[in-house]
Amino acid sequence: MIKNILNKLLFITNVLFLTFILNICFSYLHANTLRIGSLQYGSVNWELKLIKELNMDKDNDLNIEIVELASKNAAAVALQGGAVDVIVTDWFWVSRQRNEGREFAFVPHSMSAGGLIVSKDSNIKNEGDLEGKKIGIAGGQVDKGWLIFRAYFKKEYGKELKDVSRQIFGAPPLLNKKIEQDSFDAILTYWPYQAKLLTNEKFTKVINITDILNKLNLPKGIPVIGWVFKEQWAEQNKELLKNFFKTSKDAKKLMLESDDIWEKVRPFMNAENDQLFKNLRDIYREGIPSKDFSLDQINGSKKLYSILSEVGGKELVGKAKELSPGTFWVE
């Protein structure tokens, strides 16, 4: 009987010890795991999947878990609900959230933006020729590209573009199809769809959104989208976040400098031909930040926020007419 009791005690001890060890292992793995929400076919996945392919996260004491989501709104909900730790979105969203008491923070990821595309045989040779024309616009009426374009047009030509042209808002794939059918005089669209159109010799780019930012006397390097996370979570996971930013920077350096590495990226790009692959690669590279985010760029972002808050109004920024303090994460 004593032997049976001892055996049971030994069994219980072994189970407790094993549970203890498993809990330690689980805690260690969980502590190093970063859940990143991204769109399944979005360009953010190119970098993330390259990192996983090359085990770059493991090299930096990190385990990236890619959580593929259906839409930008789904990503925002996942971040707010704690289903993911990081998403990619724009800093206008972060500023508005902070102004409403939800403290998220932003670190730049990409400067790639869309542009104005026309047919080569069109009589639109520059943005001033848009007056009286039918323009297809990706997104809605408070899409940042459209608001930037409106602000520039008013500064340059003294007119409100929405009053002197006809706009049709829609999804980028539909706009591409419509301009191919000559249903629009021009389209203002996102950069991956711009890259796709430019594989067709019929089309040409008139101006990029990044060019317009320069014409608005804003410094180079203002980001379009970035890594976004809860500030409180970041304060509690500084080492994890630091390791991720190093991993991301290393991956971007590879993608900027090596053509060969893009052969590993290509399977994730949904590029059906060589020309589209090259267009996507080249525009993506143009958007890679060339240096660390500076005070000059933060001040430029504040200026852009003020400009667009006047154009987009409450629908874009809510009640805040100035960029919310703390929008950009500074370690």
Side-chain angles (χ1 to χ4, degrees):
M1 183 174 180
I2 293 175
K3 187 176 179 182
N4 287 339
I5 292 172
L6 288 173
N7 286 336
K8 286 181 180 179
L9 286 173
L10 181 62
F11 175 76
I12 292 170
T13 301
N14 287 338
V15 169
L16 290 173
F17 179 73
L18 181 59
T19 302
F20 175 72
I21 295 298
L22 288 173
N23 283 337
I24 290 175
C25 293
F26 177 79
S27 297
Y28 176 78
L29 290 171
H30 183 71
N32 290 280
T33 296
L34 186 68
R35 301 166 301 164
I36 303 178
S38 68
L39 303 187
Q40 183 176 3
Y41 297 109
S43 60
V44 175
N45 254 2
W46 304 351
E47 177 184 313
L48 295 177
K49 290 190 174 182
L50 178 65
I51 286 170
K52 298 298 290 183
E53 178 82 10
L54 300 179
N55 287 319
M56 296 175 73
D57 53 342
K58 301 291 190 298
D59 293 340
N60 286 300
D61 194 26
L62 182 69
N63 176 40
I64 290 176
E65 180 183 328
I66 303 171
V67 181
E68 294 186 341
L69 300 164
S71 69
K72 185 177 177 180
N73 286 341
V77 170
L79 180 63
Q80 290 169 316
V84 297
D85 304 310
V86 178
I87 64 170
V88 170
T89 191
D90 61 80
W91 46 270
F92 278 87
W93 182 86
V94 174
S95 179
R96 181 164 185 168
Q97 295 297 315
R98 292 185 71 88
N99 185 60
E100 295 172 359
R102 294 178 287 274
E103 295 191 340
F104 295 95
F106 176 102
V107 170
H109 166 65
S110 175
M111 301 178 299
S112 290
L116 186 74
I117 305 295
V118 301
S119 172
K120 284 183 179 176
D121 58 11
S122 165
N123 59 4
I124 300 173
K125 305 305 177 188
N126 60 60
E127 63 279 1
D129 296 328
L130 289 173
E131 194 168 340
K133 298 297 192 294
K134 184 179 178 182
I135 312 170
I137 299 163
Q141 296 190 32
V142 291
D143 183 83
K144 312 320 177 288
W146 169 235
L147 297 180
I148 290 168
F149 209 98
R150 281 177 56 192
Y152 167 68
F153 195 90
K154 190 168 186 178
K155 174 181 177 290
E156 195 74 8
Y157 303 101
K159 297 178 182 180
E160 176 54 79
L161 183 56
K162 73 180 181 65
D163 295 334
V164 299
S165 65
R166 182 184 172 197
Q167 307 95 46
I168 306 293
F169 298 91
L174 178 61
L175 298 185
N176 274 26
K177 184 174 290 188
K178 287 295 184 182
I179 198 169
E180 287 170 346
Q181 296 170 348
D182 298 319
S183 299
F184 294 127
D185 297 303
I187 66 169
L188 183 65
T189 192
Y190 306 142
W191 71 265
Y193 297 92
Q194 169 185 303
K196 193 162 190 174
L197 270 183
L198 293 177
T199 61
N200 187 333
E201 292 184 357
K202 176 181 176 181
F203 298 104
T204 187
K205 176 176 60 180
V206 174
I207 192 168
N208 269 337
I209 296 298
T210 48
D211 299 328
I212 291 174
L213 293 178
N214 293 337
K215 290 175 181 287
L216 288 170
N217 299 318
L218 295 167
K220 290 184 178 181
I222 291 180
V224 176
I225 57 172
W227 308 110
V228 174
F229 41 85
K230 292 178 180 177
E231 188 175 276
Q232 184 179 17
W233 173 87
E235 292 289 352
Q236 296 167 352
N237 294 274
K238 284 188 175 181
E239 192 65 24
L240 180 66
L241 208 51
K242 180 182 176 182
N243 290 346
F244 169 63
F245 292 146
K246 181 184 184 306
T247 306
S248 174
K249 190 174 182 178
D250 291 346
K252 285 182 173 69
K253 188 173 188 294
L254 278 176
M255 295 172 82
L256 183 64
E257 297 176 356
S258 170
D259 286 348
D260 291 341
I261 207 70
W262 280 88
E263 292 305 319
K264 292 186 177 295
V265 180
R266 186 167 183 168
F268 317 133
M269 293 172 63
N270 200 26
E272 57 263 27
N273 58 64
D274 290 343
Q275 188 58 56
L276 177 57
F277 165 70
K278 289 175 183 176
N279 287 357
L280 289 169
R281 180 196 66 193
D282 293 348
I283 300 177
Y284 184 93
R285 281 172 160 173
E286 289 173 7
I288 293 176
S290 58
K291 56 184 178 180
D292 292 335
F293 200 49
S294 68
L295 182 60
D296 187 41
Q297 290 158 337
I298 290 175
N299 289 334
S301 300
K302 289 179 179 178
K303 182 179 177 182
L304 178 59
Y305 185 94
S306 297
I307 292 170
L308 297 193
S309 68
E310 291 184 16
V311 182
K314 287 185 178 180
E315 192 176 349
L316 174 66
V317 299
K319 296 178 181 178
K321 292 192 175 181
E322 294 182 352
L323 187 72
S324 297
T327 293
F328 296 103
W329 173 257
V330 180
E331 292 185 77

